[in-house]
């Protein structure tokens, strides 16, 4: 049995009629940029997350970048970021001209450790980006407390966490602003690149709306030096269809996670995801940790089971960030995580039988 890491085609097959109708509606409208579909999706996604404003943009990286630009964060400023994250979190800071300042994660959750944030706050620090990694919310009360005491803003990187909740409140409404990605592999995925900014702040929403569209409130009149980063009508229409299924699909993921957690607890040296009491994750990824990760991955590959490593090289060791002067050992916990983690198949269309095959092969290798 071939088991893909994620079956993207299955979401289209399940919603084929609704998605085709949405496509037809847009094609026949004759309006393809910043129209009714985008406005409707923005209203629906804001309501879903419990935020006042949603601004559709080109992708998740640009969502974070535009938030920072709208906050006037730039050269000479510092932004705290997790050491253990996808490089896009750091790139958003770099694109704004500011400097990313890394903080190690909590060893149990892999999310940024609020207790380690205070030590790196300086007079140059303007914000912290809290990533809800793998679909599990970061400890937002503690992060907001540390940031609030220092007078800095908290930005959520919710690229992997559409629908996740912290103490009963959905991510996207837990900080000053939030950036979302709708890359096809996300829990709420478009059929191409797409993203969004959420905030309750009227002025930030206004500025992001301008920045995404050349800095222009009215065609050919430009208030700011903006960018071209617009969620298009077609992706918005397709996302509206999938948004109606998001909670149901997230529940399917939770059932797969429950199956894994109940069946893999006794395997030696295998570390399973830890879920704090405050978190209601949506299992964008199911990430295990194992000492001989590479051999385990090869075994699963040989058995036709798809896996991925999120992420094999931490941002501070990427060639792109050589100028920051980090060396191996600078963030030992993040480096240890990178050596050990392996993402196994997860998705709303992964069957119970397929999950059992994954479990069986993990038992076969690890015993």
């Amino acid at each position: 049995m071939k088991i893909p890491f994620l079956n993207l085609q299955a979401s289209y097959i399940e919603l084929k009629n609704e998605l085709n109708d949405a496509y037809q509606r847009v094609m026949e409208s004759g309006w393809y940029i910043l129209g009714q579909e985008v406005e409707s999706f923005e209203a629906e996604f804001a309501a879903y997350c419990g935020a006042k404003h949603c601004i559709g943009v080109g992708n998740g990286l640009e969502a974070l970048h535009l938030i920072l630009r709208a906050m006037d964060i730039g050269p000479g400023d510092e932004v705290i970021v997790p050491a253990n994250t996808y490089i896009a979190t750091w790139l958003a800071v770099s694109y704004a001209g500011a400097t990313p300042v890394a903080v190690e994660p909590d060893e149990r959750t892999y999310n940024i450790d609020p207790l380690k944030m205070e030590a790196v706050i300086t007079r140059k620090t303007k914000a912290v980006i809290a990533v809800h990694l793998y679909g599990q919310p970061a400890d937002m009360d503690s992060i907001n407390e540390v940031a609030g005491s220092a007078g800095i803003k908290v930005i959520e990187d919710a690229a992997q966490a559409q629908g996740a909740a912290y103490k009963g409140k959905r991510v996207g409404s837990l900080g000053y602003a939030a950036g979302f990605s709708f890359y096809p592999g996300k829990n709420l995925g478009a059929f191409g690149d797409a993203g969004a900014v959420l905030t309750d702040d009227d002025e930030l929403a206004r500025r992001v709306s301008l920045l995404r569209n050349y800095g222009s409130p009215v065609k050919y009149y430009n208030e700011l030096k903006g960018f071209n980063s617009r969620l298009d009508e077609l992706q918005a229409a397709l996302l509206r269809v999938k948004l109606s299924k998001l909670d149901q699909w997230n529940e399917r993921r939770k059932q797969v996670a429950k199956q894994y957690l109940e069946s893999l607890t006794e395997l030696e040296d295998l570390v399973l995801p830890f879920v704090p009491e405050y978190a209601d994750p949506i299992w964008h990824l199911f990430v295990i940790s194992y000492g001989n990760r590479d051999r385990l991955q090869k075994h699963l590959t040989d058995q036709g089971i798809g896996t991925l490593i999120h992420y094999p090289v931490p941002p501070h060791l990427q060639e792109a960030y050589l100028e920051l002067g980090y060396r191996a050992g600078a963030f030992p916990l993040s480096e240890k995580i990178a050596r050990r983690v392996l993402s196994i198949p997860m998705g709303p269309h992964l069957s119970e039988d397929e999950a059992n095959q994954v479990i069986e092969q993990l038992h076969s290798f690890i015993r």
Side-chain angles (χ1 to χ4, degrees):
M1 181 186 294
K2 295 285 187 181
I3 302 174
F5 176 72
L6 175 64
N7 186 346
L8 286 177
Q9 187 183 35
S11 64
Y12 172 68
I13 292 171
E14 180 176 344
L15 297 176
K16 183 175 181 177
N17 291 336
E18 295 96 322
L19 291 168
N20 287 351
D21 287 346
Y23 169 84
Q24 198 75 26
R25 185 172 69 242
V26 174
M27 292 300 102
E28 292 178 354
S29 74
W31 192 283
Y32 307 117
I33 297 289
L34 294 184
Q36 185 58 52
E37 296 292 346
V38 170
E39 290 180 8
S40 296
F41 174 75
E42 288 173 338
E44 290 160 10
F45 193 62
Y48 176 84
C49 294
K52 186 175 181 182
H53 302 284
C54 172
I55 305 97
V57 299
N59 56 63
L61 169 55
E62 290 173 2
L64 295 174
H65 172 222
L66 294 181
I67 291 169
L68 296 171
R69 289 278 187 167
M71 294 171 65
D72 288 323
I73 291 175
D77 296 331
E78 295 176 349
V79 178
I80 296 172
V81 294
N84 181 49
T85 186
Y86 183 54
I87 198 170
T89 313
W90 289 43
L91 289 174
V93 179
S94 299
Y95 288 174
T99 301
V101 176
V103 171
E104 287 270 57
D106 181 310
E107 190 166 11
R108 301 174 305 164
T109 66
Y110 299 169
N111 277 322
I112 194 169
D113 188 340
L115 298 177
K116 296 173 183 172
M117 284 172 43
E118 198 165 6
V120 303
I121 294 174
T122 71
R123 60 180 178 80
K124 296 180 180 180
T125 308
K126 296 297 187 292
V128 55
I129 301 180
V131 179
H132 304 306
L133 197 64
Y134 311 149
Q136 174 155 282
D139 185 359
M140 291 302 295
D141 281 355
S142 299
I143 292 168
N144 279 317
E145 182 178 352
V146 173
S149 297
I152 62 177
K153 300 291 189 183
V154 177
I155 300 165
E156 297 175 76
D157 181 341
Q160 301 181 355
Q162 300 92 342
Y166 175 86
K167 296 184 178 180
K169 190 174 181 181
R170 284 199 173 118
V171 305
S173 61
L174 304 171
Y176 178 63
F180 282 85
S181 166
F182 304 122
Y183 179 78
K186 306 300 186 187
N187 290 41
L188 179 59
F191 291 84
D193 275 320
V197 171
L198 267 64
T199 185
D200 286 341
D201 188 275
D202 294 342
E203 178 60 14
L204 184 76
R206 186 187 76 85
R207 288 175 63 84
V208 170
S209 295
L210 293 177
L211 286 169
R212 73 170 174 182
N213 189 38
Y214 301 102
S216 174
V218 180
K219 196 173 181 70
Y220 302 130
Y221 293 85
N222 303 81
E223 183 177 326
L224 301 172
K225 296 183 181 70
F227 306 87
N228 178 4
S229 179
R230 300 171 297 206
L231 175 63
D232 69 67
E233 284 287 281
L234 181 58
Q235 296 300 341
L238 300 174
L239 283 167
R240 292 180 68 196
V241 174
K242 295 180 82 174
L243 179 59
S244 69
K245 297 287 287 190
L246 180 58
D247 285 343
Q248 181 181 326
W249 284 355
N250 282 344
E251 284 301 318
R252 293 185 197 171
R253 288 174 178 266
K254 291 176 185 179
Q255 288 304 310
V256 175
K258 182 173 183 287
Q259 191 176 349
Y260 282 154
L261 290 169
E262 290 178 349
S263 303
L264 299 172
T265 54
E266 302 304 321
L267 292 181
E268 186 176 354
D269 193 35
L270 184 73
V271 180
L272 297 174
F274 170 79
V275 181
E277 289 185 2
Y278 59 68
D280 182 13
I282 43 82
W283 301 102
H284 172 59
L285 302 172
F286 192 96
V287 180
I288 60 176
S289 173
Y290 187 65
N292 204 336
R293 184 268 313 282
D294 294 341
R295 282 189 60 207
L296 174 58
Q297 184 179 38
K298 183 180 184 305
H299 170 76
L300 294 174
T301 300
D302 290 345
Q303 301 304 314
I305 296 171
T307 61
L308 288 174
I309 298 171
H310 296 87
Y311 302 97
V313 181
H316 71 279
L317 296 181
Q318 296 280 1
E319 188 175 351
Y321 280 102
L322 285 177
E323 81 276 5
L324 294 182
Y326 291 121
R327 298 287 184 270
F331 298 99
L333 180 52
S334 295
E335 293 167 29
K336 175 185 174 183
I337 290 170
R339 289 191 301 269
R340 290 181 54 105
V341 290
L342 184 66
S343 301
I344 60 176
M346 168 56 72
H349 300 94
L350 187 73
S351 71
E352 184 177 349
D353 286 344
E354 288 174 324
N356 280 330
Q357 286 289 326
V358 177
I359 292 164
E360 180 180 316
Q361 290 304 323
L362 285 167
H363 277 270
S364 171
F365 184 85
I366 300 173
R367 299 189 190 280

